[in-house]
């Protein structure tokens, strides 16, 4: 695949500009290279299906190649992971290897001395076959704190069969066209959009994307630095979000719908043709596949980028997106831990990762195995994007991110206003 330059570097830009303080020392060098036995703990968020099986096999294969290393796996539900991880980090009982989301969340870990600097341990394959932009989102103070494993641009996943059933031709490129298509789906008796508002962040992602359309890249970057949501574009994004929410586009019971657990979740509704669309990152096809009746990929799944909104200052074609990666804790055995991170990036492992998760591998030589038309559409949109922003609850850190997610759900539930979103996040930012 062609190396990403502008879009991948843009992920690094808004992720890196949120990182503002000093670094920390790397972990100690106790490792399996001297023949000693090493045990590590590994936390990830794949609790079922092919994803869980992938990590079990990957760990087993790594242990076979490194007989002095033993890795204990703990699979934690995605929505529970951040809280449990923060508790473990703060108590000094962190896992040796764990999922890293980047942005302000990673910055807080770096500033607290909780992460290992892996800069001098990045292997040949990772250096040559993962873009600088993908690594850029995990840099602070010139050091690298995590290993990228996949790229996750966000957009709208949809059922082509349900679109055809509603008489929809093509896919919408503007918000007006999306609203028209939603009405056609309603007229056909089809629930238009699934959203897992019970988990908060899926509903808030609508606000994130409206902000990406309303705010310029300069404003998004500046806000990541000073955490002041004073530009009028943040209010405009709230107004656009409310206007969309007011059209009642979501599935029945959306406030109590989970995002990714079970057939009744938002992903499950799409997987079982109970709703036509879902706004989500590029990990969604794998989740949807695990929730179809036969446990196989949804044959009519399609993708289109978030529609354009007239009057905004965001560059057309800009996308939300992130890079998934893994960090070593500061106290992890350095050789064994970084060897495991490098193993994750080997081409055969990355190809297996793609097959397990239906997600785009970070290793660009492994991207040649991507065959699904919807993932090709994702890559095409991603490669053309003039700017890619990490998810706002990641960029702005856990406190501000949680406040943002909660206030958007309150707006959706009729318990809050657009002004409440702005005041709530500003208050959270002021508390640090």
């Amino acid at each position: 695949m062609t190396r990403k330059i502008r879009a991948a570097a843009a992920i690094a830009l808004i992720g890196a500009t949120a990182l503002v303080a000093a670094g920390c020392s790397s972990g100690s060098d106790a490792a399996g290279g001297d023949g000693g036995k090493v045990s590590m703990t590994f936390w990830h968020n794949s609790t079922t299906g092919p994803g869980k099986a992938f990590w079990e096999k990957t760990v087993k294969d790594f242990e076979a190649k490194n007989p002095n290393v033993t890795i204990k796996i703990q699979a934690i539900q995605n929505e529970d992971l951040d809280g449990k991880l923060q508790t473990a980090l703060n108590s000094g009982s962190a896992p040796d290897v764990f999922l890293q989301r980047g942005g302000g969340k990673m910055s807080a870990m770096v500033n607290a001395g909780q992460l290992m600097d892996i800069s001098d341990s990045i292997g040949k394959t990772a250096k040559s076959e993962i873009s600088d932009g993908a690594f850029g989102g995990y840099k602070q103070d010139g050091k690298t704190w995590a290993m990228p494993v996949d790229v996750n641009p966000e957009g709208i996943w949809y059922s082509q069969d349900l679109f055809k059933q509603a008489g929809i031709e093509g896919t919408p490129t503007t918000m007006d066209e999306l609203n028209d298509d939603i009405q056609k789906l309603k007229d056909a008796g089809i629930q238009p959009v699934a959203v897992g508002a019970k988990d908060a962040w899926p509903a808030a992602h609508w606000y994130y994307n409206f902000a990406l359309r309303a705010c310029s890249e300069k404003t998004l970057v500046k806000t990541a630095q000073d955490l002041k949501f004073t530009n009028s574009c943040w209010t405009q994004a709230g107004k656009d979000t409310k206007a969309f929410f007011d059209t009642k586009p979501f599935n029945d019971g959306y406030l109590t719908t989970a995002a990714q657990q079970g057939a009744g979740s938002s992903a499950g509704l799409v997987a079982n043709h109970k709703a036509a669309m879902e706004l989500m990152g590029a990990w969604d096809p794998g989740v949807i596949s695990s929730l179809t009746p036969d446990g196989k990929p949804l044959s009519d799944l399609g993708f289109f980028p978030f529609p354009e909104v007239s009057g905004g200052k965001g560059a057309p074609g800009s996308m939300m997106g992130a890079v998934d990666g893994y960090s070593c804790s500061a106290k992890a055995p350095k050789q064994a831990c970084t060897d495991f991170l490098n193993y994750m990036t080997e081409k055969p492992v990355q190809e297996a990762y793609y097959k397990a998760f239906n997600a785009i591998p970070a290793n660009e030589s492994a991207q040649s195995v991507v065959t699904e038309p919807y993932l090709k559409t994702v890559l095409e949109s991603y490669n053309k994007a003039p700017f890619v922003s990490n998810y706002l609850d990641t960029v702005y850190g856990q406190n501000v991110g949680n406040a943002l997610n909660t206030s958007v759900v309150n707006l959706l539930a009729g318990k809050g206003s657009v002004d409440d979103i702005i005041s709530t996040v500003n208050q959270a930012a002021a508390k640090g």
Side-chain angles (χ1 to χ4, degrees), residues 218-252:
K218 181 179 178 180
T219 296
L220 290 168
V221 171
K222 182 176 183 297
T223 305
Q225 294 171 327
D226 61 23
L227 293 182
K228 294 180 179 178
F229 295 79
T230 54
N231 190 287
S232 62
C233 71
W234 294 108
T235 299
Q236 184 58 52
K239 291 178 179 178
D240 292 340
T241 303
K242 185 178 187 304
F244 179 71
F245 286 176
D246 285 348
T247 67
K248 302 187 183 307
F250 299 128
N251 59 284
D252 296 337

Side-chain angles (χ1 to χ4, degrees), residues 361-383:
N363 182 319
E364 292 178 340
S365 68
Q367 291 177 358
S368 61
V369 300
V370 174
T371 58
E372 289 84 356
Y374 50 78
L375 287 182
K376 289 185 175 181
T377 302
V378 173
L379 275 172
E380 180 182 358
S381 302
Y382 181 60
N383 285 329

Side-chain angles (χ1 to χ4, degrees), residues 40-45 55 71-72 74 76 81-82 84-86 88-89 93-102 105-106 109-110 113-116 138 145-147 149 324-332 337 340-341 344:
M40 296 193 298
T41 52
F42 171 41
W43 287 13
H44 65 76
N45 65 342
W55 283 122
I71 300 176
K72 182 180 180 181
Q74 186 168 350
I76 301 173
L81 179 60
D82 285 4
K84 290 186 176 181
L85 177 60
Q86 196 60 57
L89 287 165
S93 59
D96 296 294
V97 191
F98 54 86
L99 180 69
Q100 178 58 255
R101 304 194 195 272
K105 292 180 179 180
M106 188 187 80
M109 297 175 193
V110 172
Q114 296 167 333
L115 298 187
M116 180 186 294
Y138 291 136
W145 305 95
M147 184 71 73
V149 296
D324 275 344
Y326 284 84
S327 286
C328 294
S329 69
K331 297 179 181 179
C337 195
F340 185 47
L341 296 187
M344 294 180 186

Side-chain angles (χ1 to χ4, degrees), residues 15-341:
T17 50
L19 312 178
V20 294
C24 76
S25 61
S26 64
S28 64
D29 229 337
D34 60 1
K37 297 289 186 180
V38 175
S39 294
M40 296 193 298
T41 52
F42 171 41
W43 287 13
H44 65 76
N45 65 342
S46 303
T47 57
T48 61
K52 186 172 186 244
F54 164 81
W55 283 122
E56 290 170 350
K57 183 178 187 302
T58 298
V59 165
K60 183 178 180 180
D61 290 347
F62 179 80
E63 289 175 335
K65 294 175 181 291
N66 299 270
N68 292 330
V69 180
T70 301
I71 300 176
K72 182 180 180 181
I73 304 172
Q74 186 168 350
I76 301 173
Q77 174 58 37
N78 181 69
E79 283 69 32
D80 298 332
L81 179 60
D82 285 4
K84 290 186 176 181
L85 177 60
Q86 196 60 57
T87 298
L89 287 165
N90 292 343
S91 66
S93 59
D96 296 294
V97 191
F98 54 86
L99 180 69
Q100 178 58 255
R101 304 194 195 272
K105 292 180 179 180
M106 188 187 80
S107 179
M109 297 175 193
V110 172
N111 296 338
Q114 296 167 333
L115 298 187
M116 180 186 294
D117 171 17
I118 66 168
S119 305
D120 61 355
S121 302
I122 298 170
K124 181 180 178 180
T125 296
K127 284 182 177 178
S128 63
E129 298 183 9
I130 297 177
S131 73
D132 292 340
F135 271 112
Y138 291 136
K139 288 184 181 292
Q140 179 171 334
D141 307 316
K143 299 176 182 179
T144 303
W145 305 95
M147 184 71 73
V149 296
D150 67 24
V151 293
N152 282 307
E154 181 167 77
I156 298 179
W157 304 90
Y158 74 102
S159 162
Q160 297 179 67
D161 289 349
L162 292 183
F163 267 41
K164 290 177 182 177
Q165 187 176 324
I168 299 171
E169 297 181 1
T171 54
T173 59
T174 68
M175 188 52 58
D176 287 342
E177 290 175 354
L178 177 62
N179 287 332
D180 288 344
D181 289 344
I182 286 172
Q183 188 58 54
K184 290 178 182 178
L185 289 161
K186 287 182 178 180
D187 292 343
I190 300 167
Q191 297 188 99
V193 181
V195 63
K198 178 182 179 181
D199 293 319
W201 59 268
H205 276 224
W206 285 93
Y207 178 85
Y208 302 172
N209 281 275
F210 279 117
L212 189 65
R213 296 290 179 257
C215 300
S216 68
E217 176 182 339
K218 181 179 178 180
T219 296
L220 290 168
V221 171
K222 182 176 183 297
T223 305
Q225 294 171 327
D226 61 23
L227 293 182
K228 294 180 179 178
F229 295 79
T230 54
N231 190 287
S232 62
C233 71
W234 294 108
T235 299
Q236 184 58 52
K239 291 178 179 178
D240 292 340
T241 303
K242 185 178 187 304
F244 179 71
F245 286 176
D246 285 348
T247 67
K248 302 187 183 307
F250 299 128
N251 59 284
D252 296 337
Y254 54 83
L255 290 173
T256 56
T257 298
Q260 300 178 313
Q261 301 177 64
S265 66
S266 54
L269 292 175
V270 176
N272 292 279
H273 288 147
K274 302 297 184 182
M277 292 178 270
E278 182 183 27
L279 173 65
M280 194 59 66
W283 62 83
D284 208 31
V287 178
I288 290 172
S289 295
S290 71
L291 298 172
T292 58
D294 59 4
K296 296 180 179 179
L298 190 66
S299 60
D300 68 318
L301 188 65
F303 172 90
F304 58 90
F306 193 86
E308 299 297 332
V309 180
S310 61
K313 296 182 179 179
S318 295
M319 297 182 78
M320 280 285 151
V323 176
D324 275 344
Y326 284 84
S327 286
C328 294
S329 69
K331 297 179 181 179
K334 186 171 185 179
Q335 186 68 51
C337 195
T338 56
D339 281 353
F340 185 47
L341 296 187

